[in-house]
Each structure stands twice: as structure tokens, then as C-alpha cells.
């Protein structure tokens, strides 16, 4: 974080480490809420914490703000370039929160899997969602899915990054794959 703090989410709550001191934060993300299962610091300095039971909790300028209701275990949080917060729910698709409303995306909309392990946005603005049935690419309102049929070593995709040369790297249960200029290398 900007102030040098480190945040740690656990099923028992949220912990902050700063200047050699530990602080326990249990009032909004404690054991009764299922702890802090995901953490995202946004470009405006807000912190978002996903819980197992009570949805999203926002921390801004030292104050807790009302929860954004979602039902289910939050697996992953990600801020896209348009400053929306994307929320992955265990076996319940993803939600886009634009500061006003939640919009749900699921298999019925084109997402490869309702169980999403990561969300990532590439430099070209495309959003990628890795799940148990491949990797979904969302751009300009259209979905595309990559699976073992396209060159992934396994359909369970757990992580992704983009390198300076434009290569896309996917971490799957079957190994790592580099996708560059239309070619996969596992």
C-alpha cells in the first residue's frame, strides 16, 4: 500500500502489518462473516475486502463503508481500467460493480465457467477470466473461450499475466503456457 502496510486476509479475519505492529480487524470481516477471502486496493486508494458470507466491504480513508451485497464466497477481486471492481464468487460467476450497480455474468452469458479463479485485464482492454472450463476473454461485449482444444495444457486456469512483448502466460493445473502471436508453448 501507499503507507507501506501489508494486509492479510484469513478465514478468521483481516490483519494489517505496519511499522512492526500487527492490527486485527474483525468488526467487518471477522469469523462470523467468514473472514477476508480476497483483497483489492483500487487506484483511488480504496480497499475492498471480499468475505465468505457478507459480500464486499469497502475501507476508505480509515472508515468502513456499507457492504455491497453479494451472495456466496468471494474468491477474487480485481479493478479494471474503467475503475469497476470485478468480483468472482465461488460457483456463482462474476459481478461487475461500477460504484452504483452490480451486473452479473455467468455461463449463460458466455463465461466458460461459473467458478472463476482469476480476473485480468490486458493492455488492449480485454478482460480475461480463468476458471474450471478454460479461459474466457471478454471484449466489446463479446465472449471467446480458450480451452485444451486451443492449446491450453488443462482447462482449469488458475493465473495469468501479460509480459512486455505481448505474450500471455496462463498457469493451469497442467502447467504453464505462453501464448504469443497465435502460438501456444507449454
Amino acid at each position: 500500500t501507499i503507507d507501506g502496510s501489508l494486509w492479510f486476509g484469513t478465514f478468521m479475519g483481516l490483519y494489517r502489518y505496519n511499522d512492526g505492529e500487527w492490527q486485527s480487524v474483525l468488526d467487518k470481516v471477522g469469523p462470523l462473516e467468514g473472514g477476508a477471502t480476497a483483497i483489492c486496493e483500487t487506484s483511488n486508494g480504496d480497499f475492498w475486502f471480499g468475505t465468505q458470507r457478507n459480500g464486499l466491504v469497502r475501507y476508505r480513508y480509515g472508515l468502513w463503508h456499507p457492504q455491497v451485497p453479494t451472495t456466496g464466497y468471494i474468491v477474487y477481486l480485481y479493478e479494471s481500467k474503467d475503475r469497476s471492481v470485478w468480483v468472482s464468487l465461488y460457483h456463482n460467476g462474476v459481478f461487475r460493480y461500477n460504484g452504483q450497480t452490480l451486473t452479473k455474468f455467468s455461463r449463460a452469458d458466455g463465461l466458460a465457467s461459473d467458478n472463476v479463479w482469476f480476473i485480468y485485464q490486458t493492455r488492449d482492454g480485454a478482460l480475461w477470466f480463468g476458471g474450471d472450463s478454460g479461459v474466457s476473454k471478454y471484449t466489446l461485449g463479446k465472449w471467446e473461450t480458450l480451452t485444451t482444444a486451443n492449446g491450453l495444457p488443462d482447462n482449469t486456469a488458475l493465473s495469468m499475466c501479460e509480459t512486455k512483448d505481448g505474450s500471455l502466460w496462463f498457469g493451469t493445473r497442467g502447467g504453464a503456457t505462453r501464448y504469443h502471436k497465435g502460438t501456444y508453448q507449454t
Side-chain angles (χ1 to χ4, degrees), residues 134-135 146-155 157 170 172 177 184 186:
V135 178
L146 304 176
T147 65
T148 55
N150 302 96
L152 290 176
D154 191 277
N155 282 334
F170 299 97
T172 74
T177 296
Y184 288 89
T186 299

Side-chain angles (χ1 to χ4, degrees), residues 7-81:
W7 293 88
F8 296 89
T10 73
F11 292 120
M12 297 305 295
L14 178 66
Y15 300 90
R16 182 178 181 185
Y17 182 77
N18 191 12
D19 290 331
E21 304 270 330
W22 285 95
Q23 177 187 9
S24 174
V25 182
L26 300 177
D27 55 339
K28 301 288 182 189
V29 289
L32 295 177
E33 291 80 21
T37 56
I39 301 171
C40 178
E41 180 180 11
T42 59
S43 56
N44 67 357
D46 288 357
F47 284 91
W48 290 88
F49 301 100
T51 68
Q52 196 173 26
R53 296 185 188 100
N54 284 341
L56 282 172
V57 180
R58 183 171 61 127
Y59 181 77
R60 182 178 201 177
Y61 303 123
L63 299 173
W64 292 98
H65 295 269
Q67 290 155 280
V68 177
T70 56
T71 49
Y73 179 126
I74 295 177
V75 175
Y76 200 83
L77 298 173
Y78 186 83
E79 181 189 27
S80 56
K81 293 176 185 175

Side-chain angles (χ1 to χ4, degrees), residues 70 100 112 115 178:
T70 56
Q100 304 282 322
N115 201 32
R178 176 183 183 226

Side-chain angles (χ1 to χ4, degrees), residues 6 24 30 34 39 45 48-49 77 99 111 113 116 121 128 134 139 148 158 169 173 176-177 181-182:
L6 297 173
S24 174
I39 301 171
W48 290 88
F49 301 100
L77 298 173
L111 193 61
S113 172
V116 173
Q121 189 168 30
W128 299 78
T139 185
T148 55
L158 302 168
W169 287 85
R173 282 194 182 171
T177 296
K181 297 182 180 180

Side-chain angles (χ1 to χ4, degrees), residues 40 76-80 84-87 119-122 127:
C40 178
Y76 200 83
L77 298 173
Y78 186 83
E79 181 189 27
S80 56
S84 294
V85 175
W86 291 81
V87 182
I119 304 165
Y120 187 85
Q121 189 168 30
T122 48
L127 284 157

